[in-house]
Amino acid sequence: NQSPKGPPSPPGTPATSPLPCAAGWEECCNEPFCDCAEFFHLAIMVALGGSRADDPSTLGLSVYPHFPSTKAAVLQILSDEFKAAYQNPIYKFITKAPRGEYSADVAEIPPTTSAPSTATQPMTGSACGCEVAGSQFCNHDEEVPFCEPCPTSELCSEIGVPPMGVVSCETFCRAIEMTQSPTPPPTQTSTMPPTPEPTAASSGGDFCFSGESTVLVGNDNGGGNGFTTPVRVPMKELKIGDLVATDRNSNNYKFERVYSFGHRDIDKYTSFLQILPSKLELSSDHMVFVKRRGAIPASTLKVGDQLISGHDANGKETTIVIESIQSVVRQGVYAPFTPSGKIVVNGILASNYVALQQHSDVLRFCDSIKTPFSFHWLEHSFQFFHRLHSYWLGMEDRMLANGFSVGTYLPRQMGVWFLNQHPLLIAVMIVPIVVMLTLFSLFEQTILLFS
């Protein structure tokens, strides 16, 4: 397209959209998102040393007159969020600027394999690691990353991978293994898009909290069902058998024992929604309790929504108002299960479960017809046999290689399969299923009454 000439426009005075096509072009990408994508790619290329000002052997990358032309200059002004996005290996961005000349006919280019680097300290598998913080970094430009000295400690900080500063090559290796798993990488955004319409059943990805989220763990004075003195711990330190807060009544907390982790993977990198001011971090389909709306998926939250934080002395709900929502990437995913199906995380009352239809808190037919059955109730009732096995009978819950527990993964996959069937079949089967789940719920309530 034909971008405006001269210095950048001051904030609040954007160029007229759409931009005109460049001379000789009848059609072009001239909507605002085209320039946004072009800026993103250009910033990454320059940050990797891909401008002619840094290296004359590059492909001849031209930089706009008012754009930083060197790696040092662009790294100085890029935000930490931007660096975190393109440096994180799960997104598979290029890790070095293209150099040299390439044939336009790809058929003429013989297939090549990248030979291991001859640089110092080559690494393979778990034997890798650059532990000298401030003087080395993990250079992953080759298939076999190696530890390389930093020219300066400042530069080492800028190019540390993953985006947490100078880290070990072993951490990078684990991240690479995560990208090679069947689970597709999440997409990170810096602002929340408009809420999409509900869609067909989700295929069952992550339903978790981040390890940075916190929970209240109590001592054993309450026997698992009473109120006791809490201690705040990170989610990543929570264990099966711990007494965790599941509700707050005035200044007292109710505690229940963690009987399973529906999903627990300490190595996996995942995108979470961070809800401010509580700093609650959870996956987009994970449900949280909102005043007058019940348990809803995090993807449907809006600024101004009132998250339930507990109850006052009169039993009235206490709330925290959402001020902003943003996306963050964390290492580690955790989904603790409690007998009530609830848990207090960062002072917010959350569900143990997720919405099986994206962006909807209740079961829908044909993506539009609402039923009165909430996903929180459906999934909690369907988890009856899991609780019977792991909580009431105290039997060990087997974990799968993908980090899911058997008692969670199989019922979830059954639910996803059911919701992807023909609407007529769903309509026929939903009544006996709801009756069965109601009986499970009543039976469990009877056990609780006499226990």
Side-chain angles (χ1 to χ4, degrees):
N1 59 51
Q2 187 175 340
S3 299
K5 304 297 182 183
S9 302
T13 57
T16 303
S17 180
L19 296 170
C21 291
W25 292 83
E26 294 182 3
E27 296 182 359
C28 65
C29 189
N30 56 359
E31 295 296 331
F33 71 84
C34 302
D35 280 348
C36 290
E38 188 173 347
F39 166 82
F40 188 79
H41 296 153
L42 181 60
I44 292 178
M45 289 288 287
V46 177
L48 294 172
S51 73
R52 284 179 294 190
D54 277 323
D55 188 349
S57 70
T58 62
L59 289 175
L61 175 68
S62 58
V63 178
Y64 303 130
H66 298 279
F67 197 93
S69 59
T70 65
K71 176 178 180 178
V74 78
L75 287 176
Q76 186 175 1
I77 63 173
L78 286 179
S79 68
D80 291 339
E81 291 79 7
F82 191 102
K83 294 177 185 177
Y86 84 81
Q87 290 178 342
N88 197 315
I90 67 173
Y91 297 120
K92 300 183 179 179
F93 285 123
I94 61 172
T95 57
K96 61 180 179 180
R99 286 170 169 78
E101 296 182 357
Y102 299 85
S103 169
D105 186 356
V106 294
E108 297 177 1
I109 303 176
T112 60
T113 57
S114 180
S117 171
T118 58
T120 59
Q121 302 184 44
M123 52 167 244
T124 56
S126 61
C128 60
C130 309
E131 302 296 345
V132 187
S135 63
Q136 289 184 329
F137 73 101
C138 180
N139 188 330
H140 58 286
D141 286 353
E142 308 293 342
E143 287 188 358
V144 182
F146 58 93
C147 300
E148 181 173 282
C150 294
T152 66
S153 59
E154 291 77 17
L155 180 60
C156 202
S157 250
E158 291 170 351
I159 56 183
V161 181
M164 295 74 157
V166 182
V167 298
S168 69
C169 274
E170 186 173 358
T171 302
F172 177 74
C173 287
R174 289 200 302 267
I176 290 297
E177 291 172 0
M178 292 301 102
T179 65
Q180 295 172 346
S181 66
T183 305
T187 300
Q188 179 172 356
T189 56
S190 57
T191 58
M192 293 301 299
T195 301
E197 290 299 316
T199 60
S202 168
S203 60
D206 299 316
F207 53 104
C208 304
F209 302 99
S210 79
E212 307 304 314
S213 297
T214 60
V215 292
L216 293 171
V217 174
N219 57 45
D220 220 1
N221 293 340
N225 296 304
F227 296 97
T228 183
T229 304
V231 176
R232 189 173 299 277
V233 300
M235 182 71 73
K236 57 190 174 186
E237 295 181 9
L238 190 65
K239 306 181 300 296
I240 291 178
D242 283 347
L243 290 173
V244 66
T246 58
D247 199 0
R248 181 178 64 84
N249 186 354
S250 187
N251 292 324
N252 296 315
Y253 286 90
K254 183 177 182 180
F255 291 82
E256 297 177 6
R257 201 171 298 279
V258 176
Y259 69 86
S260 175
F261 277 87
H263 193 191
R264 189 176 188 274
D265 189 332
I266 64 174
D267 294 318
K268 185 172 185 178
Y269 283 89
T270 300
S271 179
F272 296 95
L273 296 180
Q274 185 185 72
I275 316 300
L276 299 176
S278 67
K279 295 186 178 181
L280 169 66
E281 296 177 358
L282 70 173
S283 54
S284 60
D285 287 345
H286 205 113
M287 291 186 289
V288 63
F289 288 89
V290 178
K291 187 173 184 178
R292 292 188 292 272
R293 297 176 65 187
I296 66 173
S299 61
T300 64
L301 293 173
K302 311 184 300 294
V303 172
D305 280 345
Q306 300 179 61
L307 299 176
I308 296 175
S309 59
H311 300 81
D312 61 18
N314 298 319
K316 186 178 179 180
E317 293 173 345
T318 57
T319 61
I320 295 176
V321 178
I322 297 177
E323 296 178 358
S324 66
I325 304 172
Q326 60 188 18
S327 181
V328 296
V329 175
R330 303 292 191 200
Q331 184 179 17
V333 293
Y334 307 85
F337 275 24
T338 63
S340 67
K342 301 176 182 179
I343 186 170
V344 175
V345 184
N346 283 70
I348 303 300
L349 185 61
S351 171
N352 291 174
Y353 315 115
V354 297
L356 293 184
Q357 289 173 317
Q358 293 180 358
H359 315 299
S360 178
D361 58 320
V362 298
L363 177 65
R364 294 173 180 253
F365 291 119
C366 303
D367 296 338
S368 58
I369 304 174
K370 286 186 175 184
T371 72
F373 309 120
S374 74
F375 279 117
H376 177 79
W377 180 83
L378 287 170
E379 292 188 66
H380 185 67
S381 300
F382 210 72
Q383 284 290 315
F384 167 74
F385 288 106
H386 187 196
R387 287 191 297 278
L388 180 64
H389 174 275
S390 300
Y391 180 72
W392 295 108
L393 299 180
M395 300 173 68
E396 185 176 356
D397 198 5
R398 187 164 67 88
M399 302 299 290
L400 300 173
N402 59 7
F404 289 88
S405 71
V406 173
T408 301
Y409 187 74
L410 295 181
R412 178 172 171 77
Q413 294 305 101
M414 291 172 60
V416 170
W417 172 86
F418 171 71
L419 294 175
N420 281 321
Q421 301 309 302
H422 192 280
L424 182 60
L425 178 62
I426 296 177
V428 171
M429 295 180 62
I430 191 63
V431 173
I433 287 177
V434 168
V435 171
M436 177 186 68
L437 295 180
T438 301
L439 292 175
F440 289 165
S441 181
L442 291 174
F443 179 69
E444 188 170 26
Q445 292 302 315
T446 303
I447 294 177
L448 287 171
L449 183 64
F450 290 100
S451 64

